[in-house]
Amino acid sequence: MPAYPGDGSDAIAAALGALPAGTPVSEVARRLMDLFTSGSIEPGTRLPPERQLATTLGVGRSAVREALAALEILGIVDVRPGSGTYLRGTASELLPQTLRWGLLIGPRKTGELLELRAGLEIYVARLAAGRAEASTLQEIGAALERMRSSVGDLSAFAEADLDFHNALAAAAGNEQLVDLLHVVRSLLQVYADRAVRDEAEVRTAIDEHDAVGRAVRAGDEDAAASAMAVHMATAAARLSAETV
């Protein structure tokens, strides 16, 4: 019986092989991530302690510690002081984070990410208009109502805004598209959290979202894409201003 519930130390250690001497932290993290996204480890599994991982991988404890810290920042593992480190999600849930890791360690420009997000959101709106079912239309409408009732609460408004876009993505019915959107939104989150700064901008955003919602409910794909394009242009202008 494992020492802790969900303890997978022995199995995880057995699945990891030794790395070449002098392997950088990024490669240690990649080796761990390859295993975590293989689908062979259950969410909530307790990982081996740093000392055991370092011995198994043939690297220093500091390299393992830094790799785990990076994976924690990306939301892949959960470090609990006094208890251990645990895997947070299933393989499918970790995939967007894996893509995000690859983007983070490569060159990127905010402007290009804004263009990518706009293209994805516009396509999502078009698909949603053609595929939305009654249940997802209800979720879209509920998120819009929450946006209207949160004019004076920017934090609640931002949450409702995200729920609106997530509901649209669900209506589009394309899981790969949803994963890509999660990656791009995560990379832009540091700016998105401050993108809507006053009541005037909130009301503009509500009007733009309402136009998208009406087009989706009407099943008008062209109108939904056009309305989202208008919203993305406004949102991109605000986000770009935050980067200056």
Side-chain angles (χ1 to χ4, degrees):
M1 184 173 181
Y4 296 87
D7 191 330
S9 296
D10 292 340
I12 292 172
L16 291 169
L19 291 167
T23 297
V25 173
S26 62
E27 288 304 315
V28 175
R30 285 183 186 277
R31 174 63 64 86
L32 294 173
M33 188 132 49
D34 284 344
L35 179 60
F36 297 162
T37 58
S38 68
S40 60
I41 306 176
E42 291 295 321
T45 296
R46 184 179 185 272
L47 306 181
E50 288 178 6
R51 184 187 302 276
Q52 185 178 359
L53 285 173
T55 299
T56 301
L57 292 167
V59 298
R61 288 186 64 181
S62 61
V64 171
R65 186 178 301 114
E66 291 178 35
L68 290 176
L71 297 186
E72 183 182 26
I73 291 172
L74 295 175
I76 293 171
V77 300
D78 181 19
V79 178
R80 306 174 193 172
S83 177
T85 302
Y86 297 79
L87 184 65
R88 295 188 61 178
T90 62
S92 61
E93 291 168 342
L94 292 176
L95 181 58
Q97 301 292 5
T98 306
L99 294 174
R100 181 181 173 187
W101 172 259
L103 286 171
L104 280 172
I105 63 175
R108 62 179 173 87
K109 296 180 181 179
T110 301
E112 292 175 353
L113 286 172
L114 290 172
E115 289 179 356
L116 177 58
R117 185 200 172 191
L120 293 173
E121 295 279 12
I122 291 167
Y123 188 45
V124 160
R126 178 177 292 279
L127 290 179
R131 299 177 177 177
E133 299 178 353
S135 59
T136 49
L137 286 174
Q138 184 175 3
E139 292 175 4
I140 292 169
L144 187 55
E145 285 304 314
R146 285 173 49 222
M147 290 174 68
R148 292 193 182 101
S149 64
S150 304
V151 172
D153 185 340
L154 295 182
S155 177
F157 176 84
E159 182 178 343
D161 186 336
L162 178 60
D163 287 344
F164 177 92
H165 285 277
N166 285 339
L168 273 183
N174 186 317
E175 292 184 2
Q176 301 304 314
L177 194 55
V178 171
D179 282 348
L180 286 173
L181 269 171
H182 282 172
V183 172
V184 176
R185 288 173 184 159
S186 294
L187 289 167
L188 290 170
Q189 196 61 45
V190 65
Y191 307 115
D193 285 342
R194 307 188 299 273
V196 177
R197 296 157 295 191
D198 56 45
E199 185 173 323
E201 291 182 347
V202 166
R203 295 192 181 282
T204 296
I206 289 173
D207 289 342
E208 292 172 353
H209 283 78
D210 184 53
V212 174
R214 283 186 281 105
V216 170
R217 285 194 300 273
D220 191 330
E221 298 178 10
D222 289 340
S226 295
M228 182 59 79
V230 170
H231 173 55
M232 283 293 101
T234 303
R238 286 196 299 263
L239 289 172
S240 294
E242 290 293 331
T243 68
V244 176

